[in-house]
């Protein structure tokens, strides 16, 4: 029998459905109400709402039937999990679709990284859609492992899971009419173009929107978000591991603003995914802060589906994909069962069939993904900052960290000449960013405060967006040992204290991801974090996620890259030392 003919017969009640959810409270994203009834499924589609009989029937009395959740903006690589293990982790929390930007691995491995992610996200119990990385490298002040220009990106728009162009971080280049950016925008014409423009306002914001940028996930204040909504952009309310904006933006869950908002995590570590959840966590937290639960669900399902043009997702209605959740408590959002295309894929926090295609992704085709470090061995002297000759030092520029935000400040501090500027008593630490892709030998050096490290050094191959080797420390010897150990592992995290390696965690996939199961990686992450805190890191500071963003030269105000200290707002390199 023709499938369409069968679906019509099921919808009209002339034939039994394959599966019927009986007597549940259906969250209707169109009426914004709870409606009692049955949901009839035929193969992978919802066919009817009302009173139905099925070959299989599930009693949902007292339960709620909710559309599958959608993360509107995430980098899978920042979970540090292989894509298949990422799916195994988020699906039990009710996520059935994500839209990802693979710019992390693309900064390391170019189109090889993009191909890897496309291949690794097939045949998962999770629909993975892509936006193409718009800024690789993220700015002229950074050194990535590849350059993705418009010509390299253009063929990928033909891929059925590529929806458009990802977060356009070079908003200054966009506004000034940079030819390469305009070419990327022209190639993406008619498709989604996501934004990334913290602090942009007024006529500059208008120019950014005119360029075709439809959204922003960088809003940290309600005023910033409302200006974008007034100008027609969609606002992605972000609540991840590093950046947590939900509490500041909770008023967006009110009328009429919620209709122009959706939920996103951006970056979230495995331990947080396992402990707290994914989009379901944002919904729970929003409701606990006073948000209407149905609005929160709509912002985590129907709104992103509508924005990205996923016409058959985000609702419980005829002709929509049978991606749905059975939950036992609307406010606590307790996910009991997850169905993908009409099939049970997770129940009571566990995936039905633990999928892994990690071994397949280790083929010769992606050998370079697992061998991404190319630099010389480092010495303690490489971390020494050369002082001005015959010039009195008035002070030094220091990157100031902001609690629970990825933005930074520019602080002017006195110079501790006895220790080459390091002053642990004032929380002034040394920072280094070392090019690791092409052995250019470039090393950016500077100072940072607000991290709290009291002894030793920490090194990581995860440093947005180019993911060069980043090291923070209280002395040059420990910094060199930590950096060389990360290189030997071909990526990961290392803690060093007093000349000894006290812990390390390997991230062999492009220096960004692990091939371990989420629970094992989370245990390793928790262990190395706790050891990092014994070195004095400030309470509430995530040792590695915080470190990863200090090198990102597109978010104000002060950053460090391989080329030196960058004033993001003025788009120029600035000296460390202030001289008379």
């Amino acid at each position: 029998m023709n499938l369409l003919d069968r679906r019509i017969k099921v919808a009209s009640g002339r034939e039994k459905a394959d599966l019927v959810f009986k007597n549940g409270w259906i969250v209707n994203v169109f009426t914004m109400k709870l409606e009692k009834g049955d949901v009839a499924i035929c193969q992978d589609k919802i066919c009817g709402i009302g009173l139905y009989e099925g070959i299989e029937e599930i009693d949902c009395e007292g339960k709620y039937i909710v559309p599958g959740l959608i993360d509107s903006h995430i980098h899978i690589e920042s979970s540090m999990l292989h894509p298949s293990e990422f799916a195994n982790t988020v699906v039990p929390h009710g996520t059935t679709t994500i839209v990802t930007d693979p710019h992390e691995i693309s900064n390391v491995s170019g189109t090889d990284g993009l191909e890897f992610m496309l291949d690794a996200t097939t045949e998962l119990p999770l629909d993975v859609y892509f936006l193409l990385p718009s800024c690789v490298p993220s700015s002229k002040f950074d050194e990535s492992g590849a350059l993705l220009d418009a010509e390299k990106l253009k063929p990928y728009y033909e891929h059925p899971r590529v929806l458009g162009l990802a977060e356009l971080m070079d908003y200054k280049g966009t506004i000034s009419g940079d030819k390469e950016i305009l070419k990327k925008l022209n190639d993406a014409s008619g498709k989604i173009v996501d934004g990334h423009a913290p602090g942009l306002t007024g006529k500059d914001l208008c120019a950014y929107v005119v360029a075709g940028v439809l959204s922003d996930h960088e809003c940290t204040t309600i005023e910033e978000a409302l200006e974008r909504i007034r100008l027609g952009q969609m606002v992605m309310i972000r609540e991840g591991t590093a950046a947590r904006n939900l509490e500041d933006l909770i008023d967006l869950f009110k009328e009429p603003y919620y209709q122009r908002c959706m939920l996103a995590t951006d970056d979230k570590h495995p331990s947080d995914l396992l402990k707290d959840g994914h989009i379901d966590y944002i919904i729970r937290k929003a409701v606990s802060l006073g948000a209407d639960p149905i609005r929160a669900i709509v912002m985590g399902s129907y709104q992103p589906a509508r924005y990205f043009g996923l016409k058959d997702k985000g609702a419980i209605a005829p002709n929509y994909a049978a991606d749905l959740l059975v939950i036992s408590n609307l406010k606590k959002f307790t996910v009991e069962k997850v169905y993908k295309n009409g099939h049970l894929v997770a129940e009571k926090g566990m995936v039905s069939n633990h999928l892994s295609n990690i071994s397949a992704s280790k083929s010769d085709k992606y050998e370079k993904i697992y061998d991404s470090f190319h630099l010389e061995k480092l010495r303690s002297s490489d971390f020494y900052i050369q002082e001005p000759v015959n010039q009195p030092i008035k002070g030094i520029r220091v990157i100031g960290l902001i609690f629970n935000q990825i933005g930074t400040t520019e602080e002017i501090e006195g110079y501790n000449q006895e220790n080459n500027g390091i002053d642990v008593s004032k929380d002034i630490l040394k920072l280094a960013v070392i090019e690791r892709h092409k052995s250019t030998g470039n090393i950016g050096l500077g100072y940072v405060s607000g991290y709290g490290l009291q002894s030793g050094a920490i090194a990581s191959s995860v440093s947005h967006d180019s993911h060069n080797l980043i090291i923070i420390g209280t002395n040059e010897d420990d910094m060199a040992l930590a950096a060389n150990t990360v290189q030997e592992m071909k990526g990961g995290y290392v803690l060093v204290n007093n000349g000894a390696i006290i812990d390390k965690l390997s991230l062999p996939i492009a220096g960004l991801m692990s091939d371990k199961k989420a629970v094992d990686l989370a245990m390793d992450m928790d262990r190395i974090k706790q050891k990092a805190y014994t070195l004095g890191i400030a309470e509430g500071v995530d040792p590695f996620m915080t470190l990863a963003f200090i090198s990102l030269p597109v978010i104000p105000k002060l950053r460090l890259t391989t080329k030196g200290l960058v004033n993001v707002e003025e788009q120029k390199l600035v000296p460390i030392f202030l001289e008379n």
Side-chain angles (χ1 to χ4, degrees):
M1 182 186 296
N2 180 279
L3 179 58
L4 179 59
D5 182 46
R6 170 155 165 71
R7 285 175 178 162
I8 292 171
K9 285 184 169 66
V10 169
S12 64
R14 287 175 287 160
E15 288 190 8
K16 285 187 176 182
D18 297 331
L19 174 66
V20 175
F21 296 88
K22 301 286 293 183
N23 305 313
W25 287 104
I26 303 164
V27 173
N28 192 313
V29 301
F30 307 115
T31 65
M32 302 299 294
K33 293 180 179 179
L34 295 174
E35 299 173 357
K36 191 72 175 289
D38 301 342
V39 179
I41 309 295
C42 180
Q43 290 202 355
D44 60 347
K45 290 282 188 180
I46 298 170
C47 289
I49 307 294
L51 185 61
Y52 284 91
E53 293 183 356
I55 298 170
E56 179 184 357
E57 296 183 350
I58 298 173
D59 185 11
C60 294
E61 185 71 42
K63 311 288 186 184
Y64 301 85
I65 305 172
V66 177
L69 303 179
I70 302 173
D71 191 335
S72 62
H73 177 73
I74 188 171
H75 308 284
I76 295 176
E77 306 97 303
S78 291
S79 73
M80 298 183 296
L81 297 168
H82 186 281
S84 63
E85 186 61 17
F86 173 83
N88 289 330
T89 306
V90 302
V91 166
H93 290 284
T95 303
T96 55
T97 302
I98 65 168
V99 181
T100 186
D101 169 11
H103 76 206
E104 316 292 6
I105 197 169
S106 297
N107 266 281
V108 176
S109 305
T111 55
D112 286 345
L114 178 54
E115 294 278 358
F116 174 87
M117 295 302 284
L118 285 166
D119 284 353
T121 52
T122 59
E123 299 179 359
L124 298 179
L126 174 75
D127 286 328
V128 181
Y129 293 94
F130 287 77
L131 297 183
L132 298 179
S134 65
C135 300
V136 175
S138 64
S139 87
K140 62 184 179 181
F141 301 111
D142 218 348
E143 290 183 284
S144 61
L147 170 65
L148 291 187
D149 57 17
E151 289 305 313
K152 289 179 180 176
L153 292 176
K154 190 173 182 179
Y156 289 96
Y157 287 115
E158 301 301 316
H159 195 285
R161 289 192 286 128
V162 171
L163 304 179
L165 191 64
E167 50 181 322
L168 196 57
M169 294 182 285
D170 190 357
Y171 54 86
K172 289 186 179 290
T174 304
I175 294 166
S176 64
D178 179 270
K179 290 183 180 179
E180 178 63 21
I181 292 176
L182 292 182
K183 191 170 190 326
K184 290 177 182 178
L185 287 168
N186 284 328
D187 290 343
S189 179
K191 295 183 179 291
I192 295 293
V193 179
D194 272 356
H196 175 120
L200 197 65
T201 188
K203 291 181 179 178
D204 284 346
L205 180 58
C206 288
Y208 192 58
V209 176
V210 162
V213 182
L214 304 176
S215 70
D216 204 323
H217 61 272
E218 290 291 336
C219 296
T220 59
T221 69
I222 194 71
E223 293 77 18
E224 193 175 16
L226 291 179
E227 182 176 12
R228 280 150 178 73
I229 289 173
R230 285 194 294 269
L231 295 179
Q233 282 192 315
M234 294 286 287
V235 170
M236 297 171 176
I237 300 173
R238 175 177 56 186
E239 187 76 3
T241 294
R244 304 180 183 189
N245 309 126
L246 177 62
E247 290 187 31
D248 292 326
L249 301 179
I250 192 64
D251 283 348
L252 295 181
F253 286 77
K254 297 178 180 178
E255 286 271 15
Y257 311 120
Y258 82 92
Q259 298 176 58
R260 301 295 300 173
C261 297
M262 44 195 167
L263 307 181
T265 58
D266 198 356
D267 300 294
K268 197 152 186 180
H269 274 179
S271 55
D272 290 335
L273 288 170
L274 289 169
K275 180 181 67 175
D276 298 326
H278 190 212
I279 299 299
D280 60 324
Y281 168 75
I282 305 179
I283 292 172
R284 277 192 297 274
K285 185 172 180 179
V287 172
S288 74
L289 293 171
D292 176 81
I294 295 180
R295 288 180 191 167
I297 290 168
V298 168
M299 292 161 72
S301 57
Y302 182 62
Q303 299 287 73
R306 184 169 63 171
Y307 169 72
F308 287 109
L310 305 175
K311 296 181 180 180
D312 67 340
K313 299 185 186 301
I316 306 294
N319 209 37
Y320 277 75
D323 297 350
L324 48 84
L325 321 177
V326 177
I327 66 175
S328 57
N329 187 300
L330 198 62
K331 291 186 177 180
K332 293 182 179 179
F333 207 85
T334 307
V335 179
E336 291 194 354
K337 296 180 180 181
V338 181
Y339 288 81
K340 186 80 187 72
N341 294 322
H343 298 286
L344 179 68
V345 292
E347 185 173 9
K348 295 181 179 179
M350 300 293 292
V351 285
S352 301
N353 293 297
H354 197 280
L355 178 70
S356 177
N357 57 7
I358 293 175
S359 58
S361 67
K362 285 187 175 180
S363 65
D364 292 343
K365 180 180 179 181
Y366 296 118
E367 183 178 351
K368 291 180 181 178
I369 301 291
Y370 288 83
D371 187 15
S372 63
F373 264 77
H374 308 284
L375 74 160
E376 298 296 322
K377 187 172 182 178
L378 294 151
R379 300 165 298 177
S380 299
S381 58
D382 291 323
F383 297 89
Y384 182 80
I385 297 177
Q386 189 64 47
E387 300 169 0
V389 179
N390 299 324
Q391 290 286 339
I393 299 172
K394 185 178 179 181
I396 55 174
R397 286 184 171 88
V398 176
I399 299 171
L401 302 181
I402 302 172
F403 182 73
N404 259 351
Q405 299 293 343
I406 58 177
T408 65
T409 60
E410 178 183 88
E411 306 295 331
I412 306 299
E413 301 287 352
Y415 179 65
N416 179 10
Q417 195 162 11
E418 292 183 5
N419 203 18
N420 197 217
I422 298 171
D423 193 336
V424 175
S425 67
K426 294 182 179 179
D427 192 20
I428 299 173
L429 307 172
K430 188 168 283 186
L431 185 70
V433 181
I434 301 169
E435 197 280 330
R436 62 116 164 165
H437 306 294
K438 299 178 180 179
S439 196
T440 66
N442 290 334
I443 300 176
L445 297 171
Y447 300 99
V448 64
S449 67
Y451 194 76
L453 189 69
Q454 296 294 303
S455 180
I458 298 177
S460 171
S461 57
V462 180
S463 59
H464 299 290
D465 276 341
S466 289
H467 298 292
N468 287 301
L469 182 55
I470 189 166
I471 310 98
I472 190 169
T474 63
N475 68 86
E476 293 81 5
D477 291 344
D478 282 352
M479 292 177 77
L481 176 58
N484 288 326
T485 305
V486 170
Q487 181 181 185
E488 290 166 6
M489 294 193 304
K490 298 185 178 181
Y493 299 153
V494 171
L495 306 180
V496 168
N497 194 29
N498 296 323
I501 299 167
I502 62 173
D503 207 353
K504 59 185 179 179
L505 188 155
S506 175
L507 298 173
I509 307 175
L512 301 174
M513 293 177 283
S514 170
D515 51 12
K516 292 183 177 182
K517 289 185 177 181
V519 64
D520 295 328
L521 181 59
M523 288 176 63
D524 289 345
M525 278 294 302
D526 288 344
R527 183 199 70 241
I528 198 169
K529 278 186 183 182
Q530 291 308 310
K531 287 191 178 180
Y533 285 119
T534 67
L535 299 178
I537 293 173
E539 186 178 352
V541 172
D542 185 294
F544 300 104
M545 186 70 90
T546 301
L547 187 60
F549 281 97
I550 301 176
S551 57
L552 182 58
V554 294
I555 296 182
K557 180 171 183 182
L558 204 60
R559 302 282 160 169
L560 183 69
T561 74
T562 59
K563 296 184 178 181
L565 204 57
V566 180
N567 184 310
V568 178
E569 292 171 329
E570 297 179 8
Q571 284 292 285
K572 67 179 185 181
L573 294 172
V574 294
I576 296 171
F577 295 99
L578 278 68
E579 303 174 28
N580 288 325

